[in-house]
Amino acid sequence: MQPEFTAIAHPNIAFIKYWGNRDDALRLPLNGSISMNLSGMETRTTVQFDQALVQDHFELNGETQSGPGLQRVSDFLDHVRRLASSNHFARVSSSNNFPTGAGIASSASAFAALALAASKAAGLDLNQKDLSRLARLGSGSACRSIPDGFVEWLPGEDDASSYAVSIASKDHWDLVDAIAVVSQGHKPVGSSAGHKLAHTSPLNAQRVLDAPERIRNCREALLGRDFARFAEVVELDSNYMHAVMRTSNPPLVYWESATEVLLWQVWQWRKEGHAVCATVDAGPNVHVLALKSELEWLQKALWELPGVKNVLTGEPAEGARLAV
Ligand code: DP6
């Protein structure tokens, strides 16, 4: 038996979204993206390779997994085995401190924590770039949960050049993400299937063409702590992605009526002078990004809106790390 390693990683919220791949197997994205790691929510994963095992074993929140859940982890471990020239199977035990399927993407924190714990357990000592590349193979957005704080995924041209880097530390800007959860159910079409539909939208080519401009705008707004500029580009990018989703074949509509109400309300609050803006991932929940000074009233106000079942809060967080 080899030593076991435990790693911790946070989910992240994308300000500029990853949607669609140039290469689905390698998860080479059509465009770059920018995100912030979210404190408070985390995945903790322990991995141990064991030559006595006849297959990989995966436990999530105390329950043994089989079927597609196990398969995705096992496929990922194949990449680790390839890098480590090993043929040993592994025992993986993972837990989220936020409810799985609560509308918070868990694949980013899951594969970031798994990449770190599994590579260490296999005897590898990957640098941050190679760890981010590895995490990307499990889930695209997971490559952004490896570096600290505010992160940019450089889309690259091949496996070697597609990875994420930190563009500012978690202490750079007092931003918060107040997540208004309107649905806790599993989404009808997961992101991996959704990415494959991006190409079918007539709007997609334009979205991809304009992405470097939005990336530049977002990076500059973030580095300059310019909330008004930040809000504009974040909402444009989210709406652009949902326009592509809606015009795909078949159409992907992730918003619910409560999503629309929330978005409208956030826009009103900003018109009234509050530093708030909204972004939505592949689901109906609304991520309200705000300056921390807005958080107290914002949390109360979100709870009072129709259809809001929970409000979770995340602040900028560090990247993936080993548990001590
Ligand atoms: C809408 O990283 O979840 O949240 O690589 O198939 O696991 P897979 O997709 P995933 O896609 C994330 C899509 C998004 C936007 C984003 O986080 O950038």
Side-chain angles (χ1 to χ4, degrees), residues 27 55-59 64-79 81 89 92 111 114 137-138:
R27 291 186 158 84
Q55 64 167 68
D56 293 315
H57 185 264
F58 173 40
E59 208 176 81
T64 300
Q65 305 291 306
S66 56
L70 171 64
Q71 192 58 51
R72 192 164 172 184
V73 165
S74 212
D75 289 348
F76 181 77
L77 291 172
D78 286 343
H79 293 297
R81 283 186 274 263
F89 292 109
V92 176
F111 283 98
L114 183 59
L137 297 172

Side-chain angles (χ1 to χ4, degrees), residues 141-160:
S141 55
C143 78
R144 298 189 311 238
S145 282
I146 297 290
D148 281 329
F150 298 90
V151 174
E152 179 171 345
W153 177 1
L154 311 169
E157 276 157 13
D158 53 15
D159 176 51

Side-chain angles (χ1 to χ4, degrees), residues 14 17-18 27 72 107 139-141 144 191-192 195 241 281-282:
K17 310 289 191 189
Y18 150 50
R27 291 186 158 84
R72 192 164 172 184
S107 67
S139 173
S141 55
R144 298 189 311 238
S191 327
S192 301
H195 286 295
M241 178 181 75
D281 277 344

Side-chain angles (χ1 to χ4, degrees), residues 45-213:
T45 298
T46 302
V47 179
Q48 183 172 42
F49 286 90
D50 183 347
Q51 63 193 48
L53 291 174
V54 294
Q55 64 167 68
D56 293 315
H57 185 264
F58 173 40
E59 208 176 81
L60 178 60
N61 297 324
E63 283 183 25
T64 300
Q65 305 291 306
S66 56
L70 171 64
Q71 192 58 51
R72 192 164 172 184
V73 165
S74 212
D75 289 348
F76 181 77
L77 291 172
D78 286 343
H79 293 297
V80 178
R81 283 186 274 263
R82 177 178 44 81
L83 289 173
S85 306
S86 156
N87 56 7
H88 295 170
F89 292 109
R91 208 172 286 112
V92 176
S93 166
S94 195
S95 62
N96 295 325
N97 75 346
F98 52 100
T100 310
I104 313 304
S106 54
S107 67
S109 52
F111 283 98
L114 183 59
L116 178 54
S119 59
K120 282 282 181 190
L124 297 165
D125 196 15
L126 302 180
N127 61 27
Q128 191 176 83
K129 170 179 164 180
D130 289 340
L131 206 51
S132 177
R133 286 175 51 210
L134 175 63
R136 192 199 75 231
L137 297 172
S139 173
S141 55
C143 78
R144 298 189 311 238
S145 282
I146 297 290
D148 281 329
F150 298 90
V151 174
E152 179 171 345
W153 177 1
L154 311 169
E157 276 157 13
D158 53 15
D159 176 51
S161 55
S162 188
Y163 60 95
V165 294
S166 178
I167 53 173
S169 75
K170 70 184 176 64
D171 302 319
H172 169 72
W173 202 11
D174 278 344
L175 270 191
V176 292
D177 179 10
I179 310 166
V181 177
V182 300
S183 168
Q184 323 218 352
H186 278 287
K187 27 190 174 185
V189 180
S191 327
S192 301
H195 286 295
K196 296 193 174 125
L197 294 178
H199 303 269
T200 65
S201 163
L203 304 182
N204 191 50
Q206 192 61 40
R207 173 183 181 271
V208 172
L209 198 67
D210 296 346
E213 177 68 10

Side-chain angles (χ1 to χ4, degrees), residues 189 193-194 196-198 200-201 244-253:
V189 180
K196 296 193 174 125
L197 294 178
T200 65
S201 163
V244 164
M245 290 166 162
R246 276 167 187 249
T247 50
S248 293
N249 185 12
L252 276 178
V253 180

